Amino acid sequence: VALGGGVVGDLAGFAAASYKRGVPWVAAPTTLLAMADSSLGGKTGIDLRQGKNLVGAFHAPRLVLSDPNTLDTLPEEELRAGLAEVVKAGIIGDPALFNKCSEGWAAVQSDWDEVVRRAMAVKIQVIEADPFEHGRRAALNLGHTVGHAVELAANFAMKHGQAVAIGMVVEAHLAERVGLAEKGLAEEIAGVLRGLGLPTEVPAGLDKRAILEGMQVDKKRAGGKVRFALPVRVGEVRVGVEVEHLSELEEVW
Ligand SMILES: NC(=O)c1ccc[n+]([C@@H]2O[C@H](COP(=O)([O-])OP(=O)(O)OC[C@H]3O[C@@H](n4cnc5c(N)ncnc54)[C@H](O)[C@@H]3O)[C@@H](O)[C@H]2O)c1
Ligand SMILES: [Zn+2]
């Protein structure tokens, strides 16, 4: 039984996947990030110095038991970081959830049950349609192609959710630039994230070259190009978008 946040879930799930080539396990997530995202979908694993999630297995828990009451003791910074994945869920498939997030910190804080339930519903719908990431599931990588590279460049000193928040805004700007997203979408997403106390720009101290290099080793890289999941509008994400020249990013951050 993995009782804890995403770190406990990833580690216990990976141990369960490996021990005797796989034993059943139960996820009991106690952070917002783990409830809304990491406990669902069966991805387990650990990071290596060379990059995120380089060792792991698909091994779904038999049961996911989320009790939002456990969030009462979770530090505010962790709650805010978890909200990045909630906003992501809204952009992928639940405009009403995105609107709820746009009401700001006080509004979401007063109704964790609803926020957790809606975010879980989006993820469950996506993973049931495409459990092994042959297509649609890649939508869940929204904000993560840039976000993971930001985390790596920051030596993992930044919270995952904060890096994903920055990643979603940078990727939305990129989506506008390549003509995929409606104009103003990036600013709309940034406004919602700011209202939840999340960062929306690459911190001045981070080396942008290092972030671009980090994206080159991203495991989603295929055929010499980095594939993005990019937002079209709130409620619609396009997967497998190839961006020929990553230097495009330098125009948007
Ligand atoms: N497997 C996946 O699909 C997936 C998806 C997203 C993220 N992740 C991984 O999840 C990890 C991040 O997870 P996280 O944000 O839950 O961080 P975490 O597991 O480190 O938990 C954050 C902190 O909160 C504490 N904590 C947990 N529950 C608490 C509670 N109810 N009250 C008080 N304190 C509590 C923990 O001890 C820890 O200090 C990253 O390693 C990320 O790579 C995995
Ligand atoms: Zn994530």
Side-chain angles (χ1 to χ4, degrees):
V1 177
L3 177 68
V7 168
V8 168
D10 274 7
L11 181 63
F14 182 53
S18 315
Y19 185 64
K20 294 184 178 172
R21 298 200 181 93
V23 294
W25 66 293
V26 170
T30 61
T31 65
L32 181 58
L33 183 133
M35 290 180 195
D37 190 29
S38 67
S39 65
L40 301 163
K43 284 190 182 177
T44 67
I46 55 171
D47 300 334
L48 296 184
R49 210 175 287 277
Q50 288 79 2
K52 295 261 304 169
N53 304 325
L54 286 179
V55 176
F58 274 102
H59 189 55
R62 286 288 167 87
L63 172 72
V64 179
L65 198 59
S66 290
D67 181 354
N69 287 330
T70 61
L71 300 179
D72 288 351
T73 54
L74 192 67
E76 189 174 306
E77 199 189 14
E78 298 291 345
L79 286 167
R80 290 185 194 270
L83 281 169
E85 303 283 2
V86 173
V87 172
K88 183 190 80 174
I91 299 169
I92 292 171
D94 187 349
L97 177 59
F98 183 83
N99 288 341
K100 171 116 196 154
C101 291
S102 73
E103 291 167 19
W105 171 245
V108 295
Q109 211 191 1
S110 67
D111 202 355
W112 289 124
D113 281 18
E114 160 98 354
V115 166
V116 167
R117 197 175 321 108
R118 294 194 87 108
M120 289 180 85
V122 170
K123 179 138 185 191
I124 289 168
Q125 202 185 17
V126 172
I127 59 183
E128 283 189 340
D130 178 21
F132 298 108
E133 199 163 326
H134 296 308
R136 185 78 204 122
R137 182 168 178 157
L140 297 169
N141 293 334
L142 178 71
H144 283 62
T145 306
V146 171
H148 279 157
V150 168
E151 263 185 301
L152 188 61
N155 275 319
F156 300 104
M158 186 185 279
K159 295 210 168 302
H160 177 72
Q162 292 173 326
V164 169
I166 295 166
M168 282 193 288
V169 175
V170 171
E171 291 179 13
H173 277 299
L174 182 65
E176 283 186 36
R177 191 176 162 80
V178 299
L180 195 65
E182 298 169 340
K183 279 268 166 269
L185 181 65
E187 217 13 78
E188 186 184 1
I189 293 171
V192 171
L193 294 168
R194 271 195 296 270
L196 299 170
L198 285 161
T200 57
E201 284 171 22
V202 177
L206 276 197
D207 181 1
K208 290 178 174 172
R209 293 261 135 218
I211 299 173
L212 281 180
E213 272 164 34
M215 290 171 55
Q216 305 293 342
V217 299
D218 195 295
K219 66 179 187 297
K220 279 147 232 143
R221 184 172 185 241
K225 289 176 188 131
V226 179
R227 284 168 202 265
F228 289 86
L230 293 181
V232 177
R233 60 179 66 81
V234 174
E236 186 183 346
V237 168
R238 183 85 47 87
V239 301
V241 184
E242 293 182 353
V243 174
E244 190 109 27
H245 303 292
L246 279 181
S247 54
E248 296 270 0
L249 278 169
E250 292 176 59
E251 308 297 326
V252 299
W253 64 17

